[in-house]
């Protein structure tokens, strides 16, 4: 049995289309800072391409989680910061390549005026709860 419990739709709450309303667990809390579409050399990946950027961001999240002894199975919350909500389908497509679509974490999506550079289309952060 997993150490996380997903409650996709609590009683009296409208169904969520692409996330779980509640995820709870017990263990070590891991906060992963917002990741950008940078490779290991600090070079932008996917200029102007939301899907390529999202894939690189999720790969960076995967690497950060692994460094903490965790995986996407331990993620309880993801926050998306996008410069245009039109980038969300690409972010969700990349997410579904890394996370189990049947056990989605809680999530928030925020459109922002800008990120660190106009070349960045999104930044994504994650919270995880890994077993002790």
């Amino acid at each position: 049995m997993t150490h996380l419990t997903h409650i996709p739709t609590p009683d009296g709450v409208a169904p969520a289309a692409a996330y779980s309303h509640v995820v709870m667990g017990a263990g070590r809390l891991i906060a992963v800072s917002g990741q950008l579409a940078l490779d290991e050399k600090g070079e932008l990946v996917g200029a102007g391409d939301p899907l390529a950027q999202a894939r690189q961001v999720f790969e960076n999240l995967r690497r950060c989680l692994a460094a903490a002894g965790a995986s996407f199975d331990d993620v309880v919350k993801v926050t998306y910061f996008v410069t245009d909500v039109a980038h969300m389908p690409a972010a969700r497509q990349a997410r579904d390549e890394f996370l189990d679509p049947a056990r989605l974490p809680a999530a928030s999506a925020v459109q922002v005026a800008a990120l660190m550079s106009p070349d960045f289309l999104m930044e994504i952060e994650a919270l995880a709860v890994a077993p002790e």
Side-chain angles (χ1 to χ4, degrees):
M1 183 169 165
T2 180
H3 64 288
L4 299 179
T5 301
H6 291 73
I7 304 172
T9 307
D11 290 343
V13 176
Y19 57 92
S20 294
H21 277 289
V22 179
V23 181
M24 54 190 170
R28 297 178 297 117
L29 179 64
I30 300 164
V32 180
S33 292
Q35 297 296 302
L36 298 165
L38 295 172
D39 65 15
E40 61 276 359
K41 297 176 187 170
E43 301 291 327
L44 174 67
V45 172
D49 183 342
L51 182 56
Q53 287 201 20
R55 285 179 171 143
Q56 182 64 47
V57 168
F58 275 98
E59 177 58 23
N60 291 346
L61 288 168
R62 185 196 66 74
R63 290 175 180 170
C64 291
L65 289 164
S71 74
F72 281 112
D73 289 341
D74 303 310
V75 172
V76 296
K77 175 83 174 9
V78 177
T79 305
Y80 302 86
F81 301 94
V82 294
T83 57
D84 187 330
V85 293
H87 302 322
M88 284 305 299
R92 288 187 187 115
Q93 180 179 340
R95 176 206 61 203
D96 290 349
E97 294 171 12
F98 287 84
L99 284 89
D100 179 356
R103 295 182 67 245
L104 292 174
S108 296
V110 181
Q111 181 171 319
V112 296
L115 293 167
M116 295 295 297
S117 162
D119 294 328
F120 295 123
L121 305 177
M122 66 189 68
E123 180 173 331
I124 304 171
E125 64 183 22
L127 286 175
V129 177
E132 290 290 344

